Amino acid sequence: ALPFDSTRKERTMEKLCFTADEVADRLSVSKTRVYDLMRSGELPSVKLGRSRLVKAADLLAYVESLEPAPVVA
């Protein structure tokens, strides 16, 4: 079932896929870094027409797979 927004009286859906720009913004990295992650397979992506997109579930899985970095004093 899709979430329902009673104030607008229409169904809304969370974003399913993100562009490299959107992923870069969410991860606070460069778009080049996002394309590097896609190319290496660390961040799975799909092709839709001429666009390369990252599924929301894949972005979440990537973030959850990251290991905490040690804090250097």
Side-chain angles (χ1 to χ4, degrees), residues 9-68:
K9 303 286 185 207
E10 62 187 47
R11 293 182 185 275
T12 57
M13 190 168 36
E14 289 183 33
K15 202 161 171 100
L16 297 175
C17 294
F18 297 97
T19 64
D21 277 329
E22 292 170 326
V23 172
D25 185 53
R26 282 162 176 76
L27 295 180
S28 299
V29 298
S30 70
K31 188 166 67 168
T32 301
R33 178 68 177 131
V34 172
Y35 281 118
D36 288 344
L37 290 169
M38 289 178 187
R39 198 171 3 268
S40 72
E42 288 181 71
L43 182 59
S45 63
V46 296
K47 189 107 169 158
L48 183 62
R50 294 178 58 172
S51 300
R52 184 148 299 275
L53 303 171
V54 176
K55 294 179 187 177
D58 289 335
L59 179 56
L60 184 58
Y62 171 74
V63 170
E64 289 177 347
S65 75
L66 296 174
E67 295 293 325

